Every structure is written in structure tokens, then in C-alpha cells.
Amino acid sequence: MQTHISTTPFGRRAMTLGQIASQATAKAMPKEVTANKWRVFEDIRKAREMLGATDRSLAILNALLSFHRETELSADGELIVWPSNEQLIARANGISPATLRRHLLVLVECGLIIRRDSPNGKRFARRSRAGEIEQAYGFDLSPIVARAVEFRDMAEAVQAEKKAFRVARERLTLLRRDIVKMIDAGIEEGVPGNWGRVLQTYQAVIGRLPRTASRQLIEDICAELYELHAEIRDVLESFIKTQNPNANESQSDRHIQNSNPDSPSESEHCFREKKEASGSVAEIDNVRSLPKRDLPLSIVLDACPNLREAAQSGEIRHWRDFLAAAELVRTMLGISPSAWQEARKVMGEVQAAITLAAIYQRSDQINSAGGYLRSLTDKARDGKFSTWPMVMALLRAKLDEGKHRQTSEIVTSESGSRLEVSESLLKSLRRRDR
């Protein structure tokens, strides 16, 4: 008796060209082809995103495969299974009938199974008197065998993509760590260079990185960071080559000289500059009593809290953040690049940034920020300027302003943190009031 193999779905379900293509692929496969159903299922699981399958649909496919007795599926064997919805729901961990129907449709659209519906939509098999299956209506697993090689290639491609993505993220992490720490090293070791601008460039590149980025975008950002990494490393290596064996000692001596003026009168003269440059910046007496070391970042931020507003993240935790904020402040104050470059060359990167922060803190009292910076640069070139008196003047102004509320000898910063001041520093700050 001649039988007809159903190619269209039962009821109102429409036939699509994709379903016809899946049936044609299954029909054209050689009869000698075999495939291990669980190995193919594992490939499908790895490539599920590429196929468009879902976790639920794969759970149903796993249940369908379990209804076939053989582990090795053969093209010349019977590949149709006909479980009822109740049996499928039981083996798919008790999903709802609506969910079952929806994800069976997903499997059909992905080309993982083929519907072989009976005239009334029931799933069953008709057997001969010998017990052999003459006609079966249900789900055809032929695509599992016919597309086994395709699924394997897709799984390998997905794994390769995941590995490339992981390598790209690792490279990004290493580049970010190297760049940040090399910038810190350049700042702390006093290597000449516009580190604030370098950090701004780094932040601009990283700012284009979304929370979830594609591999291509990560690789593009890595390429830009690699160029920046090479530039920074060249600067550091060139600086090392130009230094003599006692470079660290000479560098430290230079910092100490910049932190201490030659005489108290010279410091006073610096802070009693003409009003055309500075307005009314307070003078500091007895400069020689100030500590002979670099200014800590916490003291500078306590004296110049307005700089926090200019920081891109609103926080300044390291000197590199401080330099980036100073670079933004420079443009806000209208200071020319040439004046800024000269200040950095004479004072050093950090000292110039501290000077700029102090100018920004008193910007309402300064008529020409650029002219004032040039004046301080000239004095620093002659060894008559230090950032210590300027910062201490700002701290003393804060102490005087809050004198009626403070009973202890503690300076409270705007960020809520507390800064303890040594007895010798307080004596220096209040010597003028005695």
C-alpha cells in the first residue's frame, strides 16, 4: 500500500519556505549517514544563539531525542517520534502546554525538527502485522542527522568567537592597567610630559566602552590604547636613558628646592603681587618653618575643593585624576597652552597643577589667570615661588572663615573628610595674628 509523507503542518499553522528548505535538506542526505544524537545535541546547545534556539526549546528537543531508542541515528532508519503533549511535558520538567507549543514552533523554525502531522493532527504510528512501522505521524529528527556536520562547524565557530572575545577582554584589562600605572609612575618620578592631557586622552577612549561591548569594539579600543601605551612607554624609556645613576637623588633635591623659597621676603613678595595679576592673595610669614616635603594630595584637595567639581567622575583619588581635572580647569580659566606648557616645564607637572588648582579656587579674585600663572612661573624659575605658601594661605582662609564654629585644631574638608594639622603648621598659619 502506497503511503504519503506529510510535508505541511496541521490546522492553521502556515507553511514557510524555511520548512521546505529543511525538508529538502533531510531528503537529500545520503542513506549511509549516521550521527550520535547526544553529540549533535551538544553542538546544537553550544550554537543555540547562532541558530536562534532558546533554553526551553532545547529542553524540549532533549526530551524528543530521549523518545528515540537508538543513540546512533541513521538516515536509512525510522527517525520520527510521536510522543503526546503530556509525555513531552513530563520529560521537559513540567512546562505548561502553551509553552510547549510555542517552543516546538521555535524548533521547527530553526530547522531542528520537521513536523509530520496526521490528517487529524494526532501523533501515532501504524504498524504492520509483523510489527514494523508502516506510517508514523509526529516529529521527524532527520535534520539532526542531515545537519550534524553543519552544527559541529557552528559550535566550533562559536567557541572560537568566545575565545577571541575572552582574549580581547584580557588584552583590554592589561592595557588599562599598564597605562594607568605608567602614568602614575611618570607623575611620581617627575618625568616631563603633559600627563593631564595623556590621562584625558585615555579617559576619552575608555569612555566609548559601554557596559556590554562587542568583540570588534573591544579590539578597536585595544588598538587605540596600544598606541597610547607605546607612546607613554617611549617617554618613560627615553627619560630613563637620559638620567645618570644618581637621578633619583637629584630629582628629590629639585623637588625640595621647588618646595622651599630662598627667603621669607621673596615669598611675601610673590603673594603681594600687583592686583592686575592676583587680586588679593594672602601672604604667608615665616616660610622656612613649612615642611620640607611635597604636598600631600589630601591637603591640596582640602585647600582647593572647587577642583573636585571639574573632575569628570566627581572624585579625585590619585594624582592622575588631579592632573586631568587641572587640564580641564586650564581651559575654563582661559589660560593659553603656551603659558601652561611653560609652567609645567619650570615647576613640574604636579606643582603646576597645584598652582592652577589654587588659582581656580580664588578665580573670583583674580583678574587675569593667564597673566598670574606666567608671573608665578617667572618667580619659580628664579627659585622665588613655592606651592606650599599658596596652599597654606588657602587653608588659613578656611580656618579663619570657620573660626567661630571650630573649637578643635582640625580642618574639615568639603567632602566630609577630616584633616589633622600639626602643631608647627598651625603656629605658622597663625603667626600673623599674634
Side-chain angles (χ1 to χ4, degrees):
M1 182 178 62
Q2 186 177 7
T3 59
H4 176 72
I5 300 178
S6 173
T7 58
T8 57
F10 171 77
R12 296 182 179 180
R13 301 188 189 97
M15 187 69 178
T16 64
L17 294 178
Q19 295 175 16
I20 296 176
S22 297
Q23 294 174 10
T25 301
K27 186 177 179 180
M29 67 175 172
K31 296 298 182 181
E32 64 275 7
V33 175
T34 60
N36 185 298
K37 64 180 181 181
W38 299 122
R39 191 171 300 149
V40 178
F41 177 78
E42 181 65 17
D43 293 337
I44 293 173
R45 187 188 63 79
K46 293 178 180 178
R48 66 181 181 275
E49 294 181 0
M50 189 178 297
L51 289 168
T54 61
D55 293 339
R56 285 292 183 88
S57 63
L58 291 186
I60 296 172
L61 178 61
N62 182 79
L64 286 173
L65 291 173
S66 68
F67 282 103
H68 198 286
R69 295 181 179 180
E70 303 295 333
T71 301
E72 290 289 332
L73 302 182
S74 175
D76 60 353
E78 182 58 52
L79 296 176
I80 297 178
V81 293
W82 54 92
S84 64
N85 283 355
E86 290 76 11
Q87 291 173 318
L88 273 177
I89 289 173
R91 293 201 186 183
N93 302 322
I95 61 177
S96 66
T99 302
L100 175 65
R101 290 191 295 269
R102 185 168 64 253
H103 289 286
L104 281 173
L105 179 60
V106 171
L107 292 176
V108 173
E109 291 178 347
C110 292
L112 298 176
I113 60 174
I114 299 174
R115 280 186 177 275
R116 302 296 187 187
D117 290 343
S118 65
N120 61 0
K122 300 289 185 178
R123 302 182 200 124
F124 62 91
R126 184 180 296 112
R127 297 178 182 273
S128 65
R129 290 187 177 182
E132 297 180 355
I133 297 175
E134 293 181 343
Q135 182 69 47
Y137 297 102
F139 301 105
D140 191 346
L141 302 178
S142 298
I144 300 296
V145 180
R147 302 177 62 189
V149 176
E150 178 187 352
F151 294 146
R152 184 186 61 201
D153 293 341
M154 293 175 69
E156 291 176 354
V158 169
Q159 292 300 105
E161 176 65 22
K162 287 183 177 180
K163 180 179 180 181
F165 184 77
R166 184 172 62 253
V167 170
R169 289 190 63 86
E170 290 174 355
R171 186 188 181 202
L172 176 64
T173 301
L174 293 175
L175 283 171
R176 293 181 66 174
R177 185 182 70 191
D178 288 353
I179 289 174
V180 169
K181 292 196 174 184
M182 285 195 300
I183 291 176
D184 286 343
I187 295 171
E188 293 173 1
E189 298 294 336
V191 179
N194 192 346
W195 296 111
R197 177 65 64 186
V198 171
L199 186 59
Q200 276 190 332
T201 303
Y202 167 74
Q203 291 175 342
V205 175
I206 294 300
R208 304 199 334 261
L209 189 66
R211 185 177 295 274
T212 55
S214 64
R215 178 178 63 87
Q216 186 59 48
L217 178 58
I218 292 178
E219 289 182 348
D220 292 343
I221 290 178
C222 283
E224 296 184 40
L225 290 180
Y226 182 77
E227 294 180 0
L228 183 62
H229 179 279
E231 293 177 6
I232 298 173
R233 189 170 185 83
D234 288 344
V235 171
L236 297 180
E237 290 178 351
S238 299
F239 179 76
I240 292 173
K241 293 177 181 178
T242 59
Q243 300 304 298
N244 51 41
N246 61 345
N248 291 334
E249 289 77 7
S250 64
Q251 187 72 13
S252 300
D253 293 340
R254 184 163 59 253
H255 281 310
I256 293 174
Q257 291 172 4
N258 288 340
S259 300
N260 295 275
D262 292 337
S263 65
S265 60
E266 290 169 346
S267 176
E268 288 184 64
H269 181 69
C270 172
F271 280 89
R272 288 169 184 157
E273 197 59 273
K274 296 179 180 179
K275 287 189 177 181
E276 49 53 90
S278 63
S280 59
V281 179
E283 69 277 9
I284 294 295
D285 295 329
N286 200 13
V287 179
R288 290 188 181 277
S289 64
L290 292 175
K292 297 182 178 181
R293 56 184 173 82
D294 292 339
L295 278 164
L297 178 61
S298 58
I299 290 181
V300 177
L301 292 177
D302 194 70
C304 309
N306 290 350
L307 192 69
R308 296 181 186 272
E309 302 173 0
Q312 291 182 347
S313 61
E315 295 183 359
I316 299 178
R317 299 179 180 178
H318 309 280
W319 280 114
R320 61 175 180 271
D321 301 331
F322 187 87
L323 295 181
E327 190 68 31
L328 292 175
V329 164
R330 179 193 67 79
T331 59
M332 295 168 61
L333 293 175
I335 297 176
S336 64
S338 59
W340 177 233
Q341 182 178 1
E342 186 67 18
R344 290 188 292 105
K345 180 179 179 181
V346 174
M347 301 181 191
E349 187 81 10
V350 175
Q351 298 302 316
I354 294 174
T355 304
L356 199 62
I359 294 175
Y360 183 65
Q361 186 67 27
R362 291 291 183 87
S363 58
D364 57 336
Q365 303 175 16
I366 298 175
N367 298 327
S368 174
Y372 184 43
L373 180 62
R374 288 186 183 276
S375 175
L376 295 181
T377 302
D378 292 339
K379 289 187 173 296
R381 186 182 290 107
D382 298 334
K384 299 178 181 179
F385 170 72
S386 169
T387 53
W388 264 100
M390 178 177 280
V391 172
M392 292 303 106
L394 293 172
L395 285 174
R396 186 177 62 191
K398 288 188 63 178
L399 281 174
D400 294 341
E401 182 181 353
K403 201 169 185 180
H404 65 282
R405 332 188 274 273
Q406 287 194 332
T407 57
S408 62
E409 296 177 343
I410 295 177
V411 178
T412 304
S413 66
E414 292 183 5
S415 63
S417 61
R418 288 179 167 265
L419 174 66
E420 295 187 3
V421 182
S422 65
E423 184 66 26
S424 61
L425 182 57
L426 284 169
K427 287 181 180 180
S428 175
L429 292 174
R430 293 177 175 173
R431 186 180 300 277
R432 159 186 157 184
D433 298 331
R434 293 180 179 179

